[in-house]
Amino acid sequence: IHQNEEFQKYDGWYNNLANIKWGSAGSRLHRDAPSNYQDGVYAVNNSLPSARALSNLLFKGESGIPNTRNVTTLLAFFSQVVAYEIMKSNGVSCPLETLRIPVPKYDEVFDKKGEDNTEIPFIRAKYDKSTGNGLNSPREQINEVTSWLDGSFIYGTSEPWVASLRSFKNGRLLEGVPGYPPLNNPHIPLNNPAPPQIHRLMSPDRLFMLGDSRVNENPGLLSFGLILFRWHNFLADRINIDHPDWTDEQTFQAARRFVIASLQKIIAYDFVPALLGGIELDPYTKYMPHVPPGISHAFSAAAFRFPHSIVPPAMLLRKRGKKCEFRTEVGGYPALRLCQNWWNAQDIVREYSVDEIVLGMASQIAERDDNIVVEDLRDYIFGPMHFSRLDVVASSIMRGRDNGLPPYNVLRRVFSLEPKTWQTINVEFYKNHREKIEALKELYSGNIDALDSYVGGMLEGGENGPGELFIAIIKDQFQRIRDGDRFWFENRLNGLFNDQEIENIRKWTLRDIIKATTDIDETMLQKDVFFFKEGDPCPQPFQVNTTNLEPCVPFMRSTYWTDNDTTYVFTLIGLICIPIICFGIGRFLVNRRVSIGHHQACDSLNTLFPSETCSKAEVYGVNALEWIQEEYIRQVRVEIENSTMTLLKPRGRGVLRKLRFEEGQKIEIIHSIPQSSKVHGPFVLISQKRNNHIVFRLPSDYDLSQFLENITVAVRSVNAQLEARSEENYVILEHAVTKEKRQDELDHFFREAYARAFDKNDLSDGTFTINEDDEMYNETITREELASAMGMRENDVFVKRLFAMTAKQNDDSISFQEFFQSLKSFTKGTQHDKFRQIFDMCDTEGTGKVLRKDFADLIRSLNKKAGIAIDQTKEDNLIRSVIFNAGVKQKSEYLTERDFELIFGKFSDDRPVGFPVNRNQPTSDRASLNSFAVVEKSTIDISAPQTYWRNLTAFLETYRQHVFILFVFYAANIILFLERFWHYRYMTEHRDLRRVMGAGIAITRGAAGSLSFCMALVLLTVCRNLITILRETVISQFIPFDSAIGFHKIIALTAAFWATVHTVGHCVNFYHVGTQSQEGLTCLFQEAVFGSNFLPSISYWFFSTITGLTGLALVSVMCIIYVFALPCFIRRAYHAFRLTHLLNIAFYALTILHGLPKLLDSPKFGYYILGPVILFVFDRIIGLMSYYKKLDIVNAEILPSDIIFIEFRRPRSFIYKSGQWVTVSSPAISCSGNESHAFSIASSPQDSTVKLYIKAVGPWTWKLRSEIIRAQTYNSPYPLIHLKGPYGDGNQEWMNFKVAVMVGGGIGVTPYASTLNDLVQLTSQDSFNRVRCEKVYFLWVCPSHKNYEWFVDVLKEVEKQDRKGIIETHIFVTQVFNKFDLRTTMLYICEQHFRGTNSGVSMFTGLHAQNHFGRPDFKSIFRWIANRHEDQEEIGVFSCGPNQLNEKISEGCSEANRNHATNLDLVISENAVNLQYDMLCEFDHL
Amino acid sequence: PGVRKKRVVTTIVYILMLFVGASIIASIYFPCWAGGSQKIYTQFRAHSNERILANIGVDIGLQKVNVTLRFERLLSSNDLLPEVDMTKLYYNEGFDISGVSSMSEALNHALTQGLPYPMLSVLEYFSLNQDAFDWGRHYRVAGHYTNAVMWFGFACWLLSVILILLLPHDAYKSIVATGCSLLVACLLYLLMSPCELRIVFTGENLERVDLTATFSFCFYLIFANGILCIICGLGLGLCQHWRVY
Ligand SMILES: Cc1cc2nc3c(=O)[nH]c(=O)nc-3n(C[C@H](O)[C@H](O)[C@H](O)COP(=O)(O)OP(=O)(O)OC[C@H]3O[C@@H](n4cnc5c(N)ncnc54)[C@H](O)[C@@H]3O)c2cc1C
Ligand code: HEM
Ligand code: HEM
C-alpha cells in the first residue's frame, strides 16, 4: 500500500472508464430481465393475489426450526450488512405512491376482530424520473448507495458524511466513548423511524453515528457496524505504526483501502458460499470493465431477501469469558426479542456490549432455510406511525411488483433455468404441504406464469440454502460486482496492493476482524463464524423460539391528526370570531360616538362648558352641553326661573328653547346614574308632553343634585308632576327622542298618510295595510310639527287655521286618522269641496263670509316661510291683483264662497298645479313640461316581460361601459381561477399536492390567483390623480372613470369572496396535511425540512410557519378593513374607516410575506401587483406634488343649514377645471392624524381664490364650523388649510356635450356653482372656447330656497352673465309636498301672478328660473328634454346629490333612453356618494 | 426646491444614490455574499493518482454559488496515464441554488460533466438537504429572503431617486427606508445563513484544511450602504427640519 494511490470516490462515480455512472450512488437498478409492469411502463399489476394472503399462506409457521446446515445467526445478520453495503432501493418517491395490501379477514395480526377493512400500506420506491414514461424505458428504481463493495456501510456515500465521521487525527474515525462512535448530536441524516414498541418519535441523539443511515435498526446489525468501525480504527493505528510519517489523510485512505479489501474478501469468498450452501463464485480472473456492477432488480427485490428466512425471532446473548455462559435474563426473558428492539439497538449494544451480542450470534443456530419467516419479521417489523407493524414478506412481494419483476418462470428462463410447474417448484414441499400449493394455485387462478418470483424463489429453498434461481441471481450479482470493480483488491491493475498484501488479505476472515475489534478470546469463537459445527466452542443452550419470549407489542394505528383536534377546532373558532369581534369593535366605536356626542379628541371647542357665571343672582342657572344629535353638541346655559326652564345661548345671546311647566303636566326626568363616568358629567333628559326631549350634560354630579332640587321646586310651584329616575347613559341616549329621531317618525307619518290618501304605494315605507294596532294610528303630531313639515311657523295663520280645522278630537294634536281624513277630502273631493275647505279655513267666525284681510293674512303667512324675496308693498299689491284678476269686486270687504271659486277656478283638476310657465315656449311644449314636477302615473303600459327586456336594453345602453368592464373583470377572474385550477388539478403533479389535498389545492391556488389579480386591480381604482389625468384622454370614452370607487367596492367584494374560498380551502387542506405521515410531508413540503423526530402538527402549520401566521394575520386584517368599510360604519365612523383602510399597506405586505416561504409553490403575487403598485406609487407622488400647504382662508362665512363657506388663497400652480374636487385638511382641525376631506370646488377656474361650500355633517366639518365661529367672534386668524388636488370628476365633462342636463341636490349643487360660472364666463366671451354647449338645463333640487341663499346669489350672477340664454334653470322646492298640497296651490297662484307683473322674475328667488313645488319627476323631464332635442345624438346628464336622487335620475335616464333615439349619457358625480337625501328633512340648527 | 441653490448637498446625494443603486443591483446578482478560498492538495480526476496543488474558492450569492478552481502545480504523479497540461486550468462555474433540488441537479450534472473532484466535493456540500447537512438549504433560504428584502430595498431606492427628482422634500424618508431595508437584508442573511460551513480538504502540507465560508464583500458593502443611507436620509431630514436644505 502506498501513500498516494488513486482515491476511490465515496459516491462510486468514475469507477468504470466508459460508464462513469456505473455503480454510483443514485444510479438505476440493473435490469437483467424484462420488466413486468401491467401497462408495460410503470403500473403495478393489481390482478395478482394479495401479498398478505400469500404471506399468510406460505410464509407463516413455527419459529425455532433449527437450520439444517447449522448456519449461525451471525450469517443472518451479516447478510443484512452485505445488503446495506450494496443497496438501498426502498427510498420514498415523490409524489408518494401508496399501494394497499388487502389483509384477509381474521388475519391474526392485522385483523383480529374480523373487520375486513384493514389494508397494509406500501409505498412505492424512488425511481429515476427520466424513466417510466414510455414502453421502451419502464420505471427503473434507484439504488441510493454504491453497488460497489466499497465500505459505504462504514463511511457513507458522501463527503460531508465521511467528514462528520472522521476524527482527522491519525486517520481514525471519530470516537465518542472509546470503541464507539459518537452519538448523533449533530443530527446527520440517520434513519429514525418511531420504534413500534414505543410508538412515538424519539430523538435522533440516541443513535450512533455510522456510515449507513439504517445501521441502528437492530442490535445484530449495529454490532457489525461497530465492529467494522473499530476495524477501521484498528487498521489505521497499525498503519500509523508502520508509517508514522503519513498524514491523517493518507492513513485514513490506506485504512479505508484495507477495510474495503477485507470486506470484499469476506463477502465474496466467505459469505457468499456460506449463504449459497457452498456454491462459490467463479475464480477471479481479471478486472472486466465491460461488466455492469449494478444491483439487479431480481437481486434486490427477490433473491437477496432470502436470508429473511433464517433470521431468528430473538438473539441469545453470551457472556464474555471462557466459561460459555449465556445470559438467561435479558429484560426478564432468556433472549432478546427482535420485534421489541427495532430502532433501539444502541441501548442494547451499550448495555450488553458488542462482544456479548457477537458471541451470542456465533453460537446461535439460525432458522431453517425454508419458506417460513419468523413473526418478528413477518408480523412485527417496524412500520410508519399510522401502521406501526408491517410484514416483510408481503412488502417483499409488493416490492417485486413495484419493481416490475418478471414472474417466476420468466425469471428462471432468463437465468437459463427451465420453467417449473406447481408441483415441481419444490417437490419435497409439495409432498408435505400439498394443500398449500393447491391453495397457492388457487390464488393465482392456476396460472403458474403469474407467480411472483419472490414467492417461487423462496419456495425453492430447502436443506441447502436458497434454491437454484436465487443462487443463480446472487452468484451472478456478486460476480458482476467483483469483476466490474476497478478497485477490487485482487485487481493488480489498479496498483493498490502488491501481491504480498493481496495474499494477506485473502487470509483475512470475519473471525479475525471480530478478534481484532472485540475482547473475544480466540478460543471462544469457532473458526468459521458463519457455521456452528460439531466441536465448536459453546453451543447454544436451546433453539430460540417465540414461546418463552417477550410478546411483541401489537400493531397500532394512529392518525397523525389525533392531537390536532383541539388546536384545529379552536383555530377555526378563532377565525370565525375575528369578523364578529371586528364588528363588535365597530359597534362600540359608533356607540361611543353616539354617547359622547363627539369624537373625544375634537371636543376642544364644542364641548367646553361655557364659563360665564350667572347673570341674575336670584335665578338658578347652570352651564351645560346640549346633546342634539350624534355629531352635534352645543354649549348652553340652563336657567330655571319660576315655572320655566330656559336654554340660553352661552354669553347671553338669545333663547334657544323654553320649557314652561303647566299645571297638572307630567314632567319626566331621566338622569345618569351618579358617578357613572369620571370623564363626562351626568346626562339629564327632560321630557314634557309633546315636546322633543331635551338632553344635556351637566358638569358634575353636584350640579345634577342642584339642578334636580331646583327643577323640583319649579315644577311643584305649578302643581305639575315630576318623575325622576336614573339610567345608564346609553339607555338615556337611546331613549332620547331628539329632533332628528322625531323627524324620522314624522317623515314616516306623512309619507304613510300620503301614500294612503293617494294610493301611491311607492311613497309608503312598509306594508300597505291599514292596521288598527299599527303604531301609526296612535301617532299624533303637534301643531309645531305640522308647521315645520309644511315649512312654516307654528304661529302662522295658515297653520293655525289648518290645524284647528283638522284637529277635531283634541285641540292640541292631530291624530293620523284626522290628518288622513282631511287629506282625503282635499284630494278625492270635488273641486267644490276643496274651495269649501279653504273657505272654511279662512272663515274664522263661521259667518259664511271671509274678511279680505283674513285671506290676505293667510296668503302672506304662506309666502313668508317659502322664502319670498319681495317686500311688503309688493306683496300687498300682489294679493290685491290676484283677487282683482279673478274678477272679484274690488270694493267688497268680504269674499264669498263664489269669489273663492273664481280665484281658484282657473285651475281645473286636469291641470296639474306645480309647473313653470315659460312665455317663449309654444303651448304644446308647455303641456309636457308642465307635468314634470309631479309624480304621475306612467302612461306607457307595456306587458311585463317586454318591460323587463326594454329595461334591460335601456340599462345596457346606459351602462354599456360599466357592463363591459365588469364583464372583462369577471372573465379575467374566472380565467385566472380556471387556469390555476387546471394547472393543479390536471397538469403537473410534481409533488404530492394533489394526492394529499385533492381538488382543495386546485381551488385554493385558483382562488389565490384570482385574489392576487383583484388585489392588484383594486389599487388601480384608487389612483385618483392618474384617473384625473386619464379622464382627459381618449381612454375615458371606454372606461367609466366616475365609477372608480364603485368598481373599487366591487373588486373588493370579489376579493373577499376569493379570500374566503382560499381560507376555507386551506383550512381543509391543512386538515389533510395534518393527517400526513412524515414521508408524505417530506414530499409535500420540500422546502421545509424537519428533524427526524419532529412531526409537524396543525399548530405548527398555523402558528409556526410564516405562511400560516401571515394567513391568520391576513384574515384579521381583512376582517377589520371590510367590517369598517361597511356602509353603516362608513357613515357613522368614517374616521375609523379611514384609519382601518390604512391597514391596506399591512395587507399587501402580509400577502407578500405570505407567499414568500414557497410552502406549496413559488409565489406569484409579486408579479400581479408589481405594475399596479408602481402606478399607485406614481399616483401618490403626483398627489404629493399637488399638495399645497398652509393656505390662508381669506374669507369665511357661516351660512344657514349648517353650511360653511370658505374662500382661500389659490396657489399659483393650482389649476383645475370646473366640476373637480379637492381634498382639504387642516392640522388645526384634525381630530387625529391629519385627516383630509373631499369637497367640490365652487369657484370657477377663472377666479383668483378657491371657494368651498361645506355642510357640517360630522366631527371634522362641525369642528371646522366651530373654528370659524371662534375666529369670527374673537377676531383671531382662521385656521390654515392644506389642499390636495384637484381630482377629476364626471362633472367636468359637461363641456363636451351640446346639450347637458345638470342635476344638483342639497349640498351637491356646489360643483355647479363652479360649472355654471365657468360656462357663462367662457361662453360670454365671444372668443373661441372649447365649450360645445348650446343648451344647459340646470335642475336644482332643494328643500327650500332659504337654505341655499348663497346659491341663489350664485345663480343670479350666472343669469346676469348668461346673455345668450344657454342656461335654463329649474328649481324644485321639495319642502312643500306636491300638487295636492293646498299650500302649494296658493304659492303657485301667487308666484304666477308675481311673475306676470315682474317680467318673469320669481317672487321667491328673484330669478328667472322656474320654480316647481314638489319632487322632480325625472322620467318626464328627460322625456321632454329628449323630445326637444331630438336632433342631438347625445345629451349629457350630470348629477350630484344624494343617493336616492341619483337612483331616480338613472331610472329616468334609462326610461328616456328606451323611448328615444337620443342617448342620455349619465354621469353621477363622485361626491354623490355620501350625501344624505335631504328632501323632507333639512332643518336649521341656528 | 433648492436643487439649484443647494448644489453641494444635491450633488452629494445624487452620487450617493447612484452608488447605492449600483451596489444593490450588484449584490443581488453577484455571488459575493459569503465565500472563502483555500489552497488544497488534491486529486482532480479518476484513473490517475497525480496530486495537484490547487486553489479552490467558493462564492455564495443570493441565488447562485460560484465555485472556482485554479491549478497551481503538479505535486506527484506516477502512473501510466498521459500527462495533461493543466497549467492553464481555471474553472469558474456558477450554480443555481434557488430551487429545492437545483443543487442536487447541479451536482448530478457536474458529475456527468466530470468536473474535477474538489469542485464536486464543494457541490456535494451544497446539494445535500437533510438534517444537519443543510448548508445549501440555509444559504438558499437566506438568499431567498435576503433577495426579497433586497428587491424591496431596490424599490425603495428607485422611489428615492424619483422623489429626489420630483419631491426633494420627501426623499429623505424613502432614503431611510432604503437604508433600513438594506440593514434588514444584512441581518436576515446574518441570521439565516449557516454559521459553519466547513468543507474538508487536504492542505498543502497534507494537513486537514477547511474551506470555510465567511461573509464577504457584498455583505459588508450592503451593510455599509445601509448605514450610509440611514445617515444620509436622517441628515437630509434634519437639514430640512432646520431649513438648511
Ligand atoms: C368628491 C366629493 C366632493 C364633495 N364635495 C362636498 C362639498 O362640496 N361640500 C360638502 O359639504 N361636502 C362635500 N363632500 C362630502 C364631504 O367630504 C363630507 O361631508 C365630509 O368629509 C364629512 O366629514 P366629517 O368628518 O365632518 O364627517 P364624518 O362624520 O366623518 O362623516 C359624515 C358623513 O360624511 C361622509 N364622509 C366623511 N368624510 C368623507 C370624505 N372624505 N369623503 C367622502 N365622504 C365622507 C361619511 O360617509 C359620513 O356619511 C364631498 C365628498 C366627495 C367624495
Ligand atoms: C381588498 C380590500 C381593499 C383594498 C386593498 C382597498 C384599498 C384602498 C386604497 C388603497 C384606497 C385609497 C386610500 C386613500 O386614498 O387613502 C382605498 C380607498 C377607498 N376604499 Fe378601499 N380597499 C379595499 C376594500 C374596500 C371596501 C370593501 C370598501 C367599501 C365597501 C372600500 C371603500 C373605499 C372607499 C370608499 C375609498 C375611498 C376613501 C377615500 O378616498 O376617502 N374599500 N381603498
Ligand atoms: C388561515 C388562513 C390562510 C392559510 C392557511 C393560507 C395558506 C396559504 C398557502 C399555503 C398558500 C400557498 C403559499 C405558497 O405557495 O407558498 C397561500 C397562498 C396565498 N394566499 Fe393564503 N392562506 C390563508 C389566508 C389568506 C388570506 C386571508 C389571504 C388574503 C389576501 C391569502 C392570500 C393568499 C395569496 C394571494 C396567495 C398566493 C401567494 C402567491 O402566489 O404569492 N391567504 N395561502
Side-chain angles (χ1 to χ4, degrees), chain A residues 3-7 9 11 13-17 20-21 157-161 163-164 167-168 186-190 247-250 486 1086-1092 1106 1156-1158 1163 1177-1178 1181 1184-1185 1190, chain B residues 41 43 45-49 51 76 78 98-100 108 110-115 117 120-121 124-125 128-133 135 137 140-141 144-145 148 159 162-163 166-167 170 200 202 205-208 243:
Chain A
Q3 253 175 336
N4 286 337
E5 78 279 7
E6 183 191 344
F7 162 66
K9 271 181 76 66
D11 56 15
W13 278 78
Y14 310 129
N15 190 315
N16 191 289
L17 192 59
I20 53 179
K21 201 178 173 175
T157 55
S158 69
E159 299 213 11
W161 196 301
S164 61
S167 73
F168 293 102
H187 294 191
I188 66 170
L190 293 176
T247 61
D248 163 70
E249 173 71 13
Q250 287 165 332
R486 191 156 58 83
Q1086 292 165 345
E1087 196 74 32
V1089 171
F1090 311 110
S1092 58
I1106 294 184
L1156 212 51
K1158 298 201 255 186
V1177 167
F1178 261 98
I1181 291 176
L1184 282 176
M1185 287 168 68
K1190 298 194 182 145
Chain B
Y41 168 87
Q43 185 184 326
R45 51 179 184 148
H47 306 282
S48 147
N49 61 2
R51 296 293 141 128
S76 71
N78 54 354
S98 59
V100 182
N108 230 322
L111 281 164
T112 357
Q113 270 188 334
L115 292 188
Y117 282 6
L120 294 176
S121 310
E124 205 164 7
Y125 272 80
L128 294 173
N129 189 19
Q130 281 174 314
D131 290 288
F133 297 160
W135 304 279
R137 193 176 89 87
R140 175 163 52 78
V141 174
H144 176 66
Y145 287 105
L159 187 66
I162 295 168
L163 285 182
L166 298 178
L167 287 167
D170 287 304
V200 181
T202 310
N205 305 318
L206 301 181
E207 78 289 17
R208 165 187 176 171
R243 323 220 164 248

Side-chain angles (χ1 to χ4, degrees), chain A residues 1166-1240:
Chain A
Y1167 303 115
Y1168 283 101
I1169 61 159
L1170 184 64
V1173 162
I1174 292 175
L1175 288 179
F1176 184 74
V1177 167
F1178 261 98
D1179 180 75
R1180 294 292 121 142
I1181 291 176
I1182 296 175
L1184 282 176
M1185 287 168 68
S1186 55
Y1187 186 40
Y1188 305 96
K1189 278 188 180 162
K1190 298 194 182 145
L1191 304 173
D1192 312 310
I1193 296 184
V1194 291
N1195 192 8
E1197 262 173 70
I1198 303 293
L1199 299 172
S1201 293
D1202 304 325
I1203 290 173
I1204 311 149
F1205 165 72
I1206 54 174
E1207 185 176 357
F1208 50 88
R1209 194 163 58 78
R1210 176 175 172 181
R1212 190 162 286 285
S1213 54
F1214 182 69
I1215 294 167
Y1216 61 91
K1217 295 192 164 177
S1218 52
Q1220 291 187 322
W1221 52 282
V1222 291
T1223 64
V1224 168
S1225 61
S1226 170
I1229 302 173
S1230 232
C1231 298
S1232 52
N1234 196 2
E1235 42 177 318
S1236 53
H1237 292 266
F1239 300 103
S1240 316

Side-chain angles (χ1 to χ4, degrees), chain A residues 1015 1018-1019 1022 1024 1045 1048-1049 1051-1053 1055 1118 1121-1122 1125-1127 1130 1134 1137-1138 1141-1142 1144 1147-1148 1176 1180:
Chain A
M1015 285 177 64
V1018 84
L1019 275 182
V1022 291
R1024 288 213 198 92
I1045 287 294
H1048 177 80
K1049 291 176 189 170
I1051 298 175
L1053 288 182
M1118 267 192 111
I1121 296 176
Y1122 277 80
L1126 289 178
I1130 293 197
Y1134 189 77
F1137 162 71
R1138 288 305 296 250
H1141 236 59
L1142 287 183
N1144 282 320
F1147 185 47
Y1148 284 91
F1176 184 74
R1180 294 292 121 142

Side-chain angles (χ1 to χ4, degrees), chain A residues 925-1212:
Chain A
D925 265 355
R926 203 187 303 163
S928 53
L929 184 60
N930 283 342
S931 59
F932 72 59
V934 297
V935 186
E936 63 155 37
K937 257 204 167 127
S938 170
T939 47
I940 316 155
D941 232 351
I942 321 168
S943 59
Q946 215 177 340
T947 324
Y948 285 140
W949 176 242
R950 275 162 165 265
N951 277 340
L952 185 69
T953 45
F955 175 83
L956 287 182
E957 178 71 35
T958 315
Y959 290 105
R960 56 192 183 281
Q961 299 164 325
H962 299 71
V963 170
F964 177 71
I965 296 270
L966 277 187
F967 174 77
V968 171
F969 170 65
Y970 281 111
N973 263 301
I974 290 169
I975 288 171
L976 280 172
F977 177 81
L978 286 183
E979 192 276 326
R980 291 282 88 191
F981 186 87
W982 190 262
H983 182 81
Y984 283 95
R985 192 82 192 109
Y986 301 110
M987 304 293 288
T988 48
E989 161 68 323
H990 46 307
R991 275 150 59 185
D992 235 2
L993 302 173
R994 198 181 304 155
R995 182 184 64 81
V996 174
M997 305 178 185
I1001 183 65
I1003 291 173
T1004 47
R1005 293 294 299 188
S1010 303
L1011 178 59
S1012 308
F1013 173 69
C1014 288
M1015 285 177 64
L1017 206 61
V1018 84
L1019 275 182
L1020 292 183
T1021 58
V1022 291
C1023 293
R1024 288 213 198 92
N1025 302 290
L1026 292 182
I1027 289 179
T1028 307
I1029 294 171
L1030 286 181
R1031 239 176 226 298
E1032 317 266 301
T1033 65
V1034 215
I1035 304 176
S1036 62
Q1037 310 244 316
F1038 306 101
I1039 301 176
F1041 286 117
D1042 302 310
S1043 311
I1045 287 294
F1047 192 40
H1048 177 80
K1049 291 176 189 170
I1050 291 175
I1051 298 175
L1053 288 182
T1054 317
F1057 168 75
W1058 290 126
T1060 313
V1061 170
H1062 174 85
T1063 307
V1064 171
H1066 272 310
C1067 286
V1068 176
N1069 287 346
F1070 276 93
Y1071 166 78
H1072 291 304
V1073 170
T1075 59
Q1076 286 304 298
S1077 62
Q1078 268 179 314
E1079 299 89 56
L1081 289 175
T1082 34
C1083 280
L1084 201 52
F1085 298 103
Q1086 292 165 345
E1087 196 74 32
V1089 171
F1090 311 110
S1092 58
N1093 61 333
F1094 178 67
L1095 190 68
S1097 61
I1098 201 78
S1099 67
Y1100 172 83
W1101 297 116
F1102 275 138
F1103 300 110
S1104 308
T1105 57
I1106 294 184
T1107 305
L1109 275 178
T1110 52
L1112 295 177
L1114 278 172
V1115 173
S1116 324
V1117 166
M1118 267 192 111
C1119 286
I1120 295 174
I1121 296 176
Y1122 277 80
V1123 166
F1124 282 95
L1126 289 178
C1128 57
F1129 290 124
I1130 293 197
R1131 219 162 51 75
R1132 308 185 69 177
Y1134 189 77
H1135 191 64
F1137 162 71
R1138 288 305 296 250
L1139 278 186
T1140 51
H1141 236 59
L1142 287 183
L1143 277 177
N1144 282 320
I1145 301 171
F1147 185 47
Y1148 284 91
L1150 282 173
T1151 315
I1152 290 184
L1153 270 183
H1154 188 60
L1156 212 51
K1158 298 201 255 186
L1159 210 52
L1160 294 181
D1161 212 337
S1162 62
K1164 309 270 186 316
F1165 185 63
Y1167 303 115
Y1168 283 101
I1169 61 159
L1170 184 64
V1173 162
I1174 292 175
L1175 288 179
F1176 184 74
V1177 167
F1178 261 98
D1179 180 75
R1180 294 292 121 142
I1181 291 176
I1182 296 175
L1184 282 176
M1185 287 168 68
S1186 55
Y1187 186 40
Y1188 305 96
K1189 278 188 180 162
K1190 298 194 182 145
L1191 304 173
D1192 312 310
I1193 296 184
V1194 291
N1195 192 8
E1197 262 173 70
I1198 303 293
L1199 299 172
S1201 293
D1202 304 325
I1203 290 173
I1204 311 149
F1205 165 72
I1206 54 174
E1207 185 176 357
F1208 50 88
R1209 194 163 58 78
R1210 176 175 172 181
R1212 190 162 286 285

